[in-house]
Amino acid sequence: MVENNFLTDIQLDVLREIGNIGAGHAAASMSALMNKKIDMRVPIVTIVPFVDVLEWVGGLDRPVAGMMIHISGDLPGTIYFMLNIDEDETLVRCMTDRPKVQLVDNGKPDRFGVSLFKETDNILAASYFTALADFTGLQLQPSVPYLQIDMAGAILSHSLIEVSQMTDHALIIDTAISYSGGDNPVRGGFLFLPHPDAFSTLFQSVGIEEDG
Amino acid sequence: MGDGKLVKVGIADLKIVKSPDRIKTSGLGSCIGVVLYDLSKQVAGLAHIMLPDSSLARQANKNEYKYADTAIDKLIEKLCSNGARKYALKAKLAGGAQMFEFASNHDLIRIGARNVQAVQKKLSEHNIIPEAMDVGGNCGRTIEFDPATGTLTIRTVYEGESII
């Protein structure tokens, strides 16, 4: 197992490229769905201690719509796609041409809005996943996507708990895709958290040694 | 709310405050926030615990603040060295939710509920019965404790604010 805190430059480059390819495909899907030009930020690969990780995602109790896909197979890990609630509403409204769709109605999740949201985010997260599987050539199985609208910290800590038995750090590959035209910008963040056991498989799949 | 500072506790972290300061942790999902306090000394400690049992650890230098069993021992030790009296300690808990409905990674099923059980078991070993708790369900919680009054304020996205 690679110690999280000692990644070489080339390893970091590989991880950035993974973020690039995954989010690039998702951005293309989002562009097709919205019929709009979509921008993508250069991926940030970072190793964050648990104590800071939730601050790092922009406030632990920030309410977000979060979609999670578990990956099993050669490269276990978790992919999240997270948006602020109002941004997610903009995304779904743009896509469906239904300007009144809501995600939260009277303090409760709106069933129709949530169902549309699930479908949209499923397409985006699946694009990311497919690109990851193609790029690495590994056998990966996605779970069904799980949706939760709640505090960012509560959603993300689910995956931190999974790796917390062996580490106090999370490796996060963070890529944002955004639509900045119109009055309401949409910025969605992909977070890919590979399981620490998967690092060597990941690096070998793209032809570099575990120790760089 | 007075002149005190608000001390923030991160995930797998633990801190102590004295009145007039207050202590807070955010975004508890399956994790559990354990507050122990001595009301007449106005001192309180908060641990943001991730896992039930340190025997689950698969690393050499385990973080004692991460596990219910080791974190609670540490919390009591730190409180007592900050003027709290062990016999006077009271507890309040929040968290231990199940954020996603599914059964994939089998040893992590119901981790929230297991965290709650582990905390209660460890507290009872120290003869502490929780005064109040808000645990389980499927929502995230942010909690804030005031050692001057002994109140724990709990905030959620859908249900607003409650005090225990």
Side-chain angles (χ1 to χ4, degrees):
Chain A
M1 189 180 103
V2 179
E3 263 302 309
N4 293 10
N5 357 9
F6 300 109
L7 289 173
T8 61
D9 286 350
I10 188 162
Q11 288 172 332
L12 284 169
D13 273 346
V14 165
L15 298 174
R16 260 183 228 119
E17 192 52 25
I18 283 172
N20 243 331
I21 290 173
H25 279 69
S29 301
M30 186 168 159
S31 180
L33 286 171
M34 293 177 77
N35 200 17
K36 297 275 192 314
K37 182 172 166 287
I38 303 299
D39 299 314
M40 192 177 102
R41 199 190 60 203
V42 176
I44 297 170
V45 175
T46 165
I47 292 158
V48 202
F50 286 163
V51 177
D52 303 326
V53 80
L54 300 171
E55 294 298 334
W56 186 83
V57 297
L60 293 167
D61 44 8
R62 176 169 71 104
V64 296
M67 171 74 88
M68 177 180 81
I69 294 182
H70 264 294
I71 306 173
S72 51
D74 293 340
L75 181 57
T78 316
I79 297 172
Y80 283 94
F81 181 59
M82 293 212 266
L83 295 141
N84 286 339
I85 292 172
D86 54 334
E87 294 180 326
D88 201 24
E89 285 174 344
T90 308
L91 171 64
V92 172
R93 283 171 190 165
C94 248
M95 242 189 67
T96 57
D97 261 340
R98 286 169 181 264
K100 290 192 175 142
V101 171
Q102 282 183 310
L103 207 53
V104 178
D105 183 25
N106 282 328
K108 295 275 172 211
D110 179 87
R111 286 183 65 165
F112 181 67
V114 166
S115 152
L116 278 176
F117 167 74
K118 262 189 178 168
E119 200 47 55
T120 314
D121 289 30
N122 191 8
I123 292 168
L124 299 182
S127 305
Y128 190 107
F129 171 82
T130 308
L132 180 67
D134 286 351
F135 175 62
T136 58
L138 295 169
Q139 289 295 324
L140 310 181
Q141 290 92 40
S143 70
V144 290
Y146 299 98
L147 174 87
Q148 183 62 265
I149 302 167
D150 210 307
M151 299 174 180
I155 292 177
L156 197 60
S157 63
H158 178 86
S159 299
L160 300 182
I161 285 177
E162 263 175 49
V163 299
S164 64
Q165 281 156 272
M166 54 190 78
T167 175
D168 290 305
H169 296 78
L171 170 75
I172 299 177
I173 303 172
D174 173 25
T175 322
I177 59 177
S178 58
Y179 159 62
S180 46
D183 298 333
N184 305 305
V186 177
R187 183 189 171 283
F190 281 100
L191 299 176
F192 173 41
L193 290 96
H195 197 279
D197 282 347
F199 290 176
S200 41
T201 319
L202 175 62
F203 291 130
Q204 278 161 22
S205 76
V206 294
I208 60 173
E209 293 299 318
E210 191 176 311
D211 53 11
Chain B
M1 280 261 186
D3 313 316
K5 304 193 295 289
L6 184 58
V7 174
K8 287 185 183 168
V9 178
I11 190 164
D13 191 11
L14 179 162
K15 283 181 183 144
I16 305 284
V17 286
K18 287 180 180 167
S19 173
D21 294 351
R22 288 158 291 128
I23 193 163
K24 174 182 179 171
T25 197
S26 300
L28 288 163
S30 324
C31 296
I32 181 159
V34 179
V35 180
L36 286 178
Y37 59 104
D38 180 340
L39 194 56
S40 49
K41 299 279 179 189
Q42 307 218 330
V43 54
L46 169 61
H48 186 136
I49 292 166
M50 298 183 84
L51 288 165
D53 191 340
S54 59
S55 66
L56 295 170
R58 285 167 54 195
Q59 58 185 149
N61 301 312
K62 61 178 184 246
N63 173 356
E64 292 176 316
Y65 297 170
K66 199 156 62 182
Y67 304 93
D69 54 341
T70 46
I72 288 171
D73 286 344
K74 271 279 167 207
L75 192 58
I76 292 174
E77 190 187 310
K78 282 201 160 198
L79 277 164
C80 291
S81 64
N82 276 278
R85 299 153 305 166
K86 194 182 167 192
Y87 66 86
L89 287 178
K90 298 209 166 13
K92 290 189 178 178
L93 326 174
Q98 178 162 352
M99 297 306 295
F100 295 95
E101 303 277 328
F102 62 162
S104 68
N105 203 335
H106 53 89
D107 61 331
L108 292 167
I109 294 175
R110 301 181 56 252
I111 195 79
R114 286 171 53 203
N115 278 337
V116 176
Q117 281 169 5
V119 166
Q120 286 180 301
K121 178 163 169 278
K122 191 68 196 179
L123 287 175
S124 74
E125 283 172 23
H126 288 283
N127 294 316
I128 300 170
I129 297 162
E131 289 284 294
M133 52 189 186
D134 177 17
V135 294
N138 57 2
C139 65
R141 296 173 173 92
T142 286
I143 62 172
E144 187 178 318
F145 187 81
D146 185 348
T149 57
T151 51
L152 184 68
T153 307
I154 299 159
R155 228 176 55 244
T156 65
V157 170
Y158 298 116
E159 308 293 331
E161 214 170 83
S162 61
I163 291 176
I164 61 172

